[in-house]
Amino acid sequence: MAIPISPSRPTPPGIRGWLLAPEPKGTLHASLQQFYQGWLKFREHPLGVVGLVVILILIITAAAAPLLTQYDPIAQNMAIRLSPPSWDHILGTDNFGRDVFARIIYGARTTLDIIILVTIIVAPIGLLIGTCSGYFGGIVDEVLMRITDIFLSFPGLVLALGFAAALGPGITNAIIAISLTAWPPIARLARAETLSLRQMDYIAAVRLQGASSAAVIMRHILPMCVPSVIVRVTLNMAGIILTAAGLGFLGLGAQPPWPEWGAMAATGREFMLDSPWVIAAPGIAIAVVSLAFNLVGDALRDVLDPRGGE
């Protein structure tokens, strides 16, 4: 008489257990408790909290931009061209008389759009390629990883510049160019996670029960890779911001007169000595937001991926 095999699946720490454990009664309460425990651990990183506050301010600023300024970010007024900071114009005006503060907060919308769209594109692609490569191995692993190595062999900004130049200037093409260069690190990470996971006993038990490869990957391996990928994506956001700013600076991102921090910095470099506020404002915004995402990513590494600190 055949004895059905029941997988013995250890409950991993932190979010891993929440993702994989069977759903008991009161799942919502258990999930909220897990979230609260994660928040308590996140609070142990003061710099991470500071980064989170900056990101929340960025989101609120982007959402409430029309309420925070009375000025149109693209309306020109040459009569007040290159006016220094004042009560009427907190951060001064640029070479076309446009309010720099208004352009900064509307530029936050552009930055968030790029971050969100690139993340939506690269996270699934990197996860799928990495897990399939690590799970199937052999020729599949060789082909996928060699393609990944080709992308990784070039600096991200240089590769993004090449794609953006081929596709043409514009915010949509910039997002595509950044996405084409941002997925390889995620794929590498997902592959490394999958190589260790596929050797676990509960994966072997699931296979013996007749689960297909697609089911094993989607239901058992992908959820285990999610915490590490979340950390990696959060850290990648700083690079996405810098790459987008670099493309905008070189005229391959958002096109004038739409406000975008990199393009604003490119315009301000011509007036760096006489009107430093024109370039200082977008430069500081890029640096602060990039640092905030790095700080949050470092804190999330300890919360979602405890092995990362070992």
Side-chain angles (χ1 to χ4, degrees), residues 115-149:
I115 291 173
I116 293 171
L117 291 175
V118 170
T119 301
I120 290 174
I121 295 172
V122 303
I125 293 176
L127 262 174
L128 185 61
I129 292 177
T131 51
C132 289
S133 177
Y135 182 80
F136 291 109
I139 187 65
V140 175
D141 184 32
E142 284 294 323
V143 172
L144 293 179
M145 284 302 101
R146 295 300 76 76
I147 295 174
T148 303
D149 289 340

Side-chain angles (χ1 to χ4, degrees), residues 39 41-56 230-239 241-242 286-304:
W39 166 245
K41 192 169 183 180
F42 186 89
R43 284 172 52 186
E44 296 175 2
H45 301 77
L47 292 178
V49 175
V50 171
L52 180 61
V53 170
V54 172
I55 294 172
L56 291 176
I230 291 175
V231 174
R232 182 68 198 188
V233 167
T234 305
L235 292 171
N236 277 2
M237 288 178 181
I241 294 171
L242 294 174
I286 294 169
V288 170
V289 174
S290 300
L291 178 61
F293 277 107
N294 269 328
L295 294 176
V296 171
D298 287 336
L300 283 177
R301 179 186 290 119
D302 292 336
V303 176
L304 300 183

Side-chain angles (χ1 to χ4, degrees), residues 213-239:
S213 297
V216 173
I217 292 174
M218 298 301 297
R219 297 182 58 187
H220 301 281
I221 293 181
L222 271 178
M224 290 285 280
C225 296
V226 166
S228 298
V229 169
I230 291 175
V231 174
R232 182 68 198 188
V233 167
T234 305
L235 292 171
N236 277 2
M237 288 178 181

Side-chain angles (χ1 to χ4, degrees), residues 3-276:
I3 301 176
I5 298 176
S6 177
S8 176
R9 179 167 56 190
T11 302
I15 195 173
R16 297 178 184 274
W18 171 64
L19 286 168
L20 291 179
E23 295 187 2
K25 295 180 180 179
T27 302
L28 178 60
H29 176 73
S31 299
L32 291 175
Q33 188 175 15
Q34 287 281 352
F35 177 81
Y36 180 69
Q37 293 296 326
W39 166 245
L40 291 179
K41 192 169 183 180
F42 186 89
R43 284 172 52 186
E44 296 175 2
H45 301 77
L47 292 178
V49 175
V50 171
L52 180 61
V53 170
V54 172
I55 294 172
L56 291 176
I57 292 174
L58 174 71
I59 295 172
I60 294 171
T61 299
L67 303 177
L68 297 177
T69 179
Q70 60 181 330
Y71 297 105
D72 187 332
I74 62 176
Q76 301 181 11
N77 184 357
M78 298 303 290
I80 55 174
R81 179 178 182 269
L82 296 176
S83 297
S86 62
W87 286 112
D88 291 331
H89 302 280
I90 299 175
L91 298 178
T93 61
D94 64 6
N95 56 316
F96 290 105
R98 299 172 297 199
D99 185 75
V100 174
F101 177 73
R103 290 178 63 77
I104 287 292
I105 61 176
Y106 276 93
R109 289 185 168 186
T110 305
T111 299
L112 281 179
D113 287 344
I114 294 173
I115 291 173
I116 293 171
L117 291 175
V118 170
T119 301
I120 290 174
I121 295 172
V122 303
I125 293 176
L127 262 174
L128 185 61
I129 292 177
T131 51
C132 289
S133 177
Y135 182 80
F136 291 109
I139 187 65
V140 175
D141 184 32
E142 284 294 323
V143 172
L144 293 179
M145 284 302 101
R146 295 300 76 76
I147 295 174
T148 303
D149 289 340
I150 292 173
F151 280 87
L152 288 174
S153 62
F154 297 93
L157 179 58
V158 174
L159 194 59
L161 286 173
F163 284 123
L167 295 171
I171 190 67
T172 301
N173 290 340
I175 291 172
I176 296 173
I178 297 171
S179 300
L180 289 173
T181 63
W183 65 266
I186 298 174
R188 275 288 187 183
L189 178 62
R191 174 182 179 271
E193 291 272 345
T194 304
L195 287 175
S196 61
L197 291 173
R198 73 176 184 178
Q199 305 297 330
M200 291 187 174
D201 293 340
Y202 79 88
I203 295 294
V206 170
R207 288 175 183 164
L208 290 175
Q209 285 183 320
S212 64
S213 297
V216 173
I217 292 174
M218 298 301 297
R219 297 182 58 187
H220 301 281
I221 293 181
L222 271 178
M224 290 285 280
C225 296
V226 166
S228 298
V229 169
I230 291 175
V231 174
R232 182 68 198 188
V233 167
T234 305
L235 292 171
N236 277 2
M237 288 178 181
I240 292 171
I241 294 171
L242 294 174
T243 303
L247 294 178
F249 188 87
L250 296 173
L252 296 173
Q255 296 300 294
W258 189 249
E260 193 275 327
W261 293 344
M264 292 173 62
T267 302
R269 65 180 173 175
E270 301 177 20
F271 314 99
M272 188 185 319
L273 298 180
D274 297 329
S275 305

